Amino acid sequence: MNLKEVTVQLIKFRTETGNIPEIERCMNFVRQQAETVGAEVEIYRKDALAPVILLSNGKYRDFDVLVVGHIDVVPAADPMFIPYTKEGKMFGRGSLDMKSFAAVGLNSLEYVLKQQLPLKFGVLLSSDEEKGSFGLEAFLHDNPDLKSKIVLDVDVAGDIGKIVARCKSPVFVKLFSEGKEAHGSTPWEGIDANEQLMQVWQNIRTRYPYFCKKMPKPADTWIDTVHFARIEGGAVANVISNHAEAMLDFRLTEKSSPDELEQNLQQAMVDGVSYQIVSAGRPVVMDENNPYIRDYKQTAEQYLNRPLEFEYIGGATDSRAFAERGSVVIMHSGSGDGMHAAGEYAVWETVEQLAEIQKRFLHRLAEKA
C-alpha cells in the first residue's frame, strides 16, 4: 500500500464523531484496504453506537500484537478535509489525531501478511473516541476474551522522540443545581441555581487549583487537574435561574483513587447541588523496564539514530481498556502540532519513520516467536 495515498484518502472522509454515514464509508474504505492484502475483517455494530472495525491476519481473540486507534475526528471547517502537504507537513483534520497513524497500522498489517510473520496481529479502530469510545466499550464487553500481549497505541501524537509511559485517568462529572425561579428584581424570593453552582466551583477549586497559559507552568505537571468543560444556567436575563448544569473534566494520576474523588466532590457540594460521575477511565501506567518496552525503545533508537525519552501525558486513549486486561501498552506515534485546531498537521517524515519502526519491531518479535 502507499502510506501517503491511504492517509490522504482517510483524511478526506468527514468522520466527525457522530457522523455515522461518513464513518461507515470510511470503514468500508478501510475494509477494502485490508481485504486487498488478504486480511480478516470484522465490523462491530450494535444499536445506535458507533461501529468498531477489527482487522487481523487470522480469526483471533488472543493477539500477540494489536494496534489500537480511531478514525473519528473533532469538527472542522470544510477546507480541513482537503489534505495537502507543505514543507514536509501533512495538513488536514485528523492528520495528527490520528488518521496518519491509523494508516501506519494498516501498513503494518500488510507487512505481517506479506512477510508471513508468525504473529497473531491485528488493528482495532473505534469511531467515537473523541466522545467517550462507547462503541469500543460495548465491543469489548461483548468480547470479554479479546486480549493482546502487546498493544501499540498510536494515538499519542506529538513527538516521535518520546515514548509515553503514563496517561492520566479521565473522569467526567456532571453537576446539577436546582433553585427556585423568581423575578430578577426580587432575588430574595428565589434561589439562584447559578449562584449555587458557583459556590460548588469555588469549593472544588480549593482542592484542584486553577491553571492557565497566563500563569507559570507547574514544575511538576503529573498532578490532578480539572477544567469546567461546559456551563449552562438561566434562560433570560431578568429571571432567577431555577436550574443549572456543568460538566467537569478531571484528569487524575495513578496516585488518586475514585473514592478520594468522591469524597472531594461530596465535601464540595452545597444544598441544592448534586453530581453524577458520567464516565471514568483508569490511568495507564507502564513499567519503563518492561522487556517489550525496552525492546521497542531500542528498535526505535537504532533506526532513528538518537535516544528516545519517556514522558507522562494528561490525555487518555483507548489503550486503557487493554491495560486493564493485562496488555503491555507501548504508546508511541509521530510528530506534529495543532491537534483539534485549525492548523493541524503531522510531520510526514515521522509518519514514515513510525511505520518503519513498527515493521522492525514486529520482525524482531517474530524472530523470537
Side-chain angles (χ1 to χ4, degrees):
M1 61 173 279
N2 184 301
L3 186 60
K4 180 172 280 189
E5 287 182 5
V6 170
T7 299
V8 166
Q9 291 304 315
L10 287 173
I11 294 173
K12 286 181 179 179
F13 289 103
R14 192 168 191 138
T15 54
E16 294 160 313
T17 312
N19 186 356
I20 298 300
E22 192 72 356
I23 285 171
E24 289 284 3
R25 284 191 283 272
C26 185
M27 287 271 181
N28 286 330
F29 172 77
V30 172
R31 174 204 285 272
Q32 292 167 7
Q33 295 298 310
E35 289 179 340
T36 297
V37 297
E40 298 283 341
V41 179
E42 175 185 348
I43 298 181
Y44 173 85
R45 299 179 178 89
K46 185 173 184 179
D47 303 327
L49 294 171
V52 176
I53 188 166
L54 175 62
L55 320 166
S56 62
N57 63 335
K59 294 182 180 297
Y60 308 124
R61 282 297 182 265
D62 58 334
F63 290 90
D64 295 313
V65 183
L66 195 61
V67 176
V68 174
H70 61 94
I71 61 167
D72 63 308
V73 297
V74 297
D78 292 345
M80 289 200 69
F81 295 95
I82 305 173
Y84 66 94
T85 303
K86 182 179 180 181
E87 298 178 349
K89 300 172 181 178
M90 172 74 75
F91 288 87
R93 174 58 80 234
S95 56
L96 184 63
D97 185 19
M98 50 150 285
K99 289 180 174 177
S100 297
F101 310 122
V104 168
L106 296 176
N107 187 72
S108 293
L109 177 62
E110 179 184 53
Y111 179 76
V112 169
L113 285 161
K114 286 190 173 181
Q115 297 295 318
Q116 298 182 338
L117 298 186
L119 297 172
K120 291 181 283 187
F121 180 84
V123 178
L124 182 65
L125 301 172
S126 64
S127 61
D128 65 345
E129 189 272 347
E130 298 293 358
K131 289 189 176 179
S133 297
F134 296 108
L136 179 64
E137 182 180 333
F139 173 74
L140 293 176
H141 179 270
D142 290 346
N143 291 272
D145 298 328
L146 184 74
K147 58 184 180 179
S148 182
K149 291 178 185 175
I150 301 168
V151 165
L152 298 180
D153 182 349
V154 292
D155 188 22
V156 289
D159 188 346
I160 199 167
K162 296 179 180 180
I163 296 174
V164 176
R166 299 185 189 182
C167 291
K168 293 181 182 179
S169 167
V171 182
F172 293 93
V173 176
K174 196 167 188 179
L175 300 179
F176 304 90
S177 178
E178 303 301 334
K180 184 179 185 302
E181 194 173 73
H183 195 280
S185 64
T186 56
W188 44 83
E189 293 181 0
I191 299 174
D192 194 333
N194 294 344
E195 190 75 25
Q196 292 177 160
L197 203 57
M198 286 189 286
Q199 291 175 26
V200 172
W201 298 344
Q202 293 170 354
N203 292 341
I204 289 173
R205 277 295 175 216
T206 64
R207 295 169 174 82
Y208 302 92
Y210 174 66
F211 299 100
C212 77
K213 192 171 184 178
K214 297 178 181 179
M215 302 166 60
K217 184 177 179 179
D220 179 10
T221 58
W222 196 245
I223 54 177
D224 295 343
T225 63
V226 64
H227 83 96
F228 293 99
R230 189 174 67 248
I231 305 168
E232 299 177 86
V236 293
N238 63 347
V239 176
I240 301 293
S241 173
N242 66 354
H243 180 80
E245 295 182 4
M247 181 69 78
L248 282 59
D249 175 4
F250 287 88
R251 301 296 167 128
L252 309 179
T253 74
E254 79 283 3
K255 300 174 185 177
S256 300
S257 71
D259 289 342
E260 290 172 340
L261 175 61
E262 288 260 22
Q263 290 174 9
N264 289 339
L265 288 171
Q266 289 167 7
Q267 292 171 11
M269 294 300 111
V270 299
D271 287 345
V273 182
S274 59
Y275 71 88
Q276 175 190 357
I277 295 180
V278 178
S279 65
R282 58 158 284 176
V284 178
V285 179
M286 290 291 112
D287 179 2
E288 295 167 21
N289 292 313
N290 177 276
Y292 290 128
I293 294 177
R294 285 205 318 266
D295 196 28
Y296 181 94
K297 184 171 182 283
Q298 184 182 50
T299 301
E301 289 176 335
Q302 288 174 346
Y303 174 64
L304 295 174
N305 195 30
R306 61 186 173 105
L308 269 67
E309 302 174 3
F310 286 109
E311 69 170 341
Y312 304 163
I313 66 172
T317 74
D318 286 338
S319 66
R320 63 186 182 271
F322 293 92
E324 293 175 356
R325 297 190 178 197
S327 299
V328 175
V329 179
I330 303 174
M331 297 175 275
H332 187 223
S333 62
S335 304
D337 204 355
M339 185 183 297
H340 293 190
E344 181 180 0
Y345 70 85
V347 178
W348 186 253
E349 180 187 23
T350 69
V351 178
E352 295 177 327
Q353 289 172 336
L354 182 69
E356 185 62 27
I357 291 167
Q358 282 197 8
K359 289 191 291 186
R360 293 186 181 206
F361 177 65
L362 292 169
H363 193 81
R364 288 177 68 162
L365 286 175
E367 288 179 337
K368 297 177 181 179

